[in-house]
Amino acid sequence: MDLNDTPEQAQYREQVRSWLEERKAQAPPARGEMDDDGYLDARRAWQRTLAEGGLAGVSWPKDVGGQGLGPIEQVIVNQELSRAEVPGILDVIGIGMLGPCIIAHGTDEQKSRYLGPMLHGDEVWCQLFSEPAAGSDLAAVQTRAVRQDDGSFRLNGQKVWTTNAQFSSYGLLLARTDPDKHKHKGLTMFIVPMDAEGVTIRGLRQISGEAEFNEVFFDDVVVGEENVVGGIDNGWMTALTVLMYERVTIGLGSEGFGYRGDRFARALVDSPEARKDKEVRKRLGDLSAELLAVRFTGYRTLTALQRGQIPGPEAGLSKVTTVNAAIAAGELIADVRGPDALDESTEWAYMISFLPGLKSAGGTEGILRNTIGERVLGLPPEPRLDKGIPFSELRAKEKEAVAS
């Protein structure tokens, strides 16, 4: 692909830059306490401003409130937000991953009801996928959705590592509706109001001091059939749409997150010893090369998206590389700067403490490497005990295999 803006893209970039210059004084700080209602309200208001200016949902279709532009225009917006040093949208999960899933699989009524408030920050969403025993192996979810005589579903189970659940209005939940089917077949996706009776949210305190993640419990929560997204027992295919967008968002977002070799180099330049140290220079060179590779892989993915192709499993490799390179950068900065790197007043303390959590987001490294090996490189799959076995019999089969 041509890495320079086309005349049309250059014009769009100038339009976005001018718009941001006029309004950036209204923007809240890029970072703040997410349990501070005042800061959250400011971020919601800023997302609303961005949406009204056409800078949220850039690649969403026009008939659901988006701008109908391509992924390259979305990247231009992200770059200009970073250049203006203002925050982007608050609801990255909703607009970046769950909204596209509803656009692809939702009913007309669901699109009409939920996408507008999501776009304007009036209703933030969370992703209710991972469970204590079903994170890396998402198809092993045990949260049950049992159909009632009136057609509604009764939900029982637990989710964990749920980002933003504490202030979300809705969640997109994956639950098991038919345990007698193979574990990938008997799943269904539901829209769940987070204030529904029977929903309990508990924050998980991280080493950074924040409680960004949560565990969420569902005790006899009732939702209607109109809350099903993508069809009953078709939840795995619906979930794959979310996962593909999630991995693309994390992988392509390396520079948006600030994970760039030049930024990390500036953190080391004040140390004359580090500048001369061959090992430091080698470590910086290695991780910078990895991040540069992610950037160009991202350009290739953007080209595919621009041509109308959907994100493939190869997007997981960008996620793995980005996170590992950023963790290596944090370790290098800590080695050179010593305890000062962990001073909370610095930009590095948060990054170093935050990154281990990002390793699990969007699938663990082991799972992603397996997916890439099998579905991208065509390597033989790992031996599996669960193939063709109903989920309800799986645990007994696993115990039987261990005993033998």
Side-chain angles (χ1 to χ4, degrees):
M1 70 179 289
D2 186 347
L3 301 183
N4 297 308
D5 287 344
T6 64
E8 293 78 15
Q9 289 163 354
Q11 182 179 10
Y12 181 68
R13 184 185 296 279
E14 183 55 38
Q15 174 188 331
V16 172
R17 186 173 296 181
S18 298
W19 190 93
L20 286 170
E21 281 298 319
E22 291 176 8
R23 294 166 179 82
K24 67 180 185 181
Q26 305 172 24
R31 289 201 56 77
E33 297 295 331
M34 301 306 277
D35 53 2
D36 178 345
D37 289 341
Y39 182 69
L40 275 177
D41 288 344
R43 289 293 303 272
R44 289 176 191 272
W46 178 239
Q47 179 173 322
R48 194 173 306 120
T49 300
L50 292 173
E52 289 168 355
L55 304 189
V58 173
S59 59
W60 282 21
K62 286 186 176 180
D63 61 358
V64 296
Q67 299 301 306
L69 300 174
I72 292 178
E73 283 75 16
Q74 179 64 69
V75 170
I76 289 173
V77 170
N78 293 346
Q79 291 172 339
E80 292 304 316
L81 287 165
S82 177
R83 180 182 181 278
E85 298 182 337
V86 296
I89 55 175
L90 169 65
D91 192 7
V92 173
I93 292 173
I95 292 182
M97 307 168 202
L98 308 186
C101 179
I102 293 174
I103 292 170
H105 301 287
T107 63
D108 290 342
E109 289 75 17
Q110 289 168 345
K111 295 174 189 175
S112 175
R113 164 60 186 86
Y114 297 112
L115 294 176
M118 178 192 290
L119 195 64
H120 290 80
D122 297 328
E123 294 172 348
V124 175
W125 285 60
C126 61
Q127 177 187 351
L128 297 162
F129 281 18
S130 294
E131 298 183 1
S136 296
D137 184 10
L138 181 61
V141 295
Q142 297 188 47
T143 294
R144 298 295 180 96
V146 178
R147 194 154 201 180
Q148 309 299 296
D149 292 339
D150 63 359
S152 65
F153 290 84
R154 189 173 294 275
L155 306 175
N156 281 284
Q158 179 192 353
K159 299 292 179 178
V160 74
W161 308 121
T162 308
T163 304
N164 297 344
Q166 72 274 33
F167 56 81
S168 287
S169 299
Y170 291 94
L172 200 60
L173 176 142
L174 189 63
R176 189 162 301 282
T177 36
D178 189 346
D180 292 329
K181 290 184 177 178
H182 178 262
K183 69 178 185 178
H184 291 90
K185 299 293 185 182
L187 297 164
T188 301
M189 193 76 78
F190 295 91
I191 294 171
V192 181
M194 295 303 288
D195 62 354
E197 186 175 352
V199 176
T200 303
I201 303 167
R202 295 177 184 164
L204 294 169
R205 191 68 60 185
Q206 302 158 246
I207 192 172
S208 63
E210 295 176 309
E212 179 186 3
F213 306 113
N214 302 270
E215 53 185 352
V216 186
F217 299 86
F218 300 87
D219 296 303
D220 288 330
V221 176
V222 177
V223 294
E225 186 174 354
E226 67 275 12
N227 288 40
V228 172
V229 179
I232 296 169
D233 291 343
N234 192 40
W236 184 247
M237 295 306 296
T238 313
L240 285 181
T241 301
V242 176
L243 295 178
M244 292 305 172
Y245 278 100
E246 182 179 44
R247 289 161 190 171
V248 168
T249 299
I250 295 173
L252 292 183
S254 60
E255 295 197 20
F257 287 133
Y259 302 151
R260 303 186 312 273
D262 63 324
R263 176 190 175 206
F264 298 136
R266 285 197 295 274
L268 308 173
V269 75
D270 291 339
S271 169
E273 295 80 11
R275 291 205 301 268
K276 298 176 184 175
D277 191 308
K278 290 183 179 178
E279 179 62 21
V280 170
R281 294 167 66 171
K282 180 180 184 305
R283 290 169 64 184
L284 179 62
D286 287 346
L287 70 90
S288 298
E290 295 280 12
L291 291 172
L292 201 57
V294 171
R295 178 198 292 183
F296 285 96
T297 301
Y299 290 155
R300 193 158 50 232
T301 303
L302 277 174
T303 302
L305 290 169
Q306 193 76 356
R307 292 172 178 166
Q309 300 170 10
I310 62 172
E314 67 278 4
L317 189 58
S318 291
K319 186 261 177 175
V320 170
T321 307
T322 295
V323 174
N324 283 341
I327 288 175
E331 292 172 349
L332 177 58
I333 292 168
D335 287 347
V336 170
R337 299 173 66 118
D340 289 347
L342 299 177
D343 187 317
E344 291 186 0
S345 64
T346 72
E347 61 186 304
W348 309 115
Y350 176 79
M351 187 189 86
I352 291 169
S353 59
F354 165 76
L355 281 171
L358 197 58
K359 278 200 97 168
S360 297
T364 63
E365 182 169 340
I367 287 293
L368 291 179
R369 286 189 181 279
N370 274 353
T371 302
I372 294 161
E374 294 174 16
R375 298 178 58 192
V376 179
L377 302 178
L379 299 176
E382 280 195 320
R384 294 174 56 175
L385 294 172
D386 57 2
K387 199 166 185 178
I389 298 175
F391 184 78
S392 57
E393 300 175 15
L394 191 56
R395 190 59 58 86
K397 293 286 185 184
E398 290 173 344
K399 289 181 178 178
E400 182 180 310
V402 170
S404 62

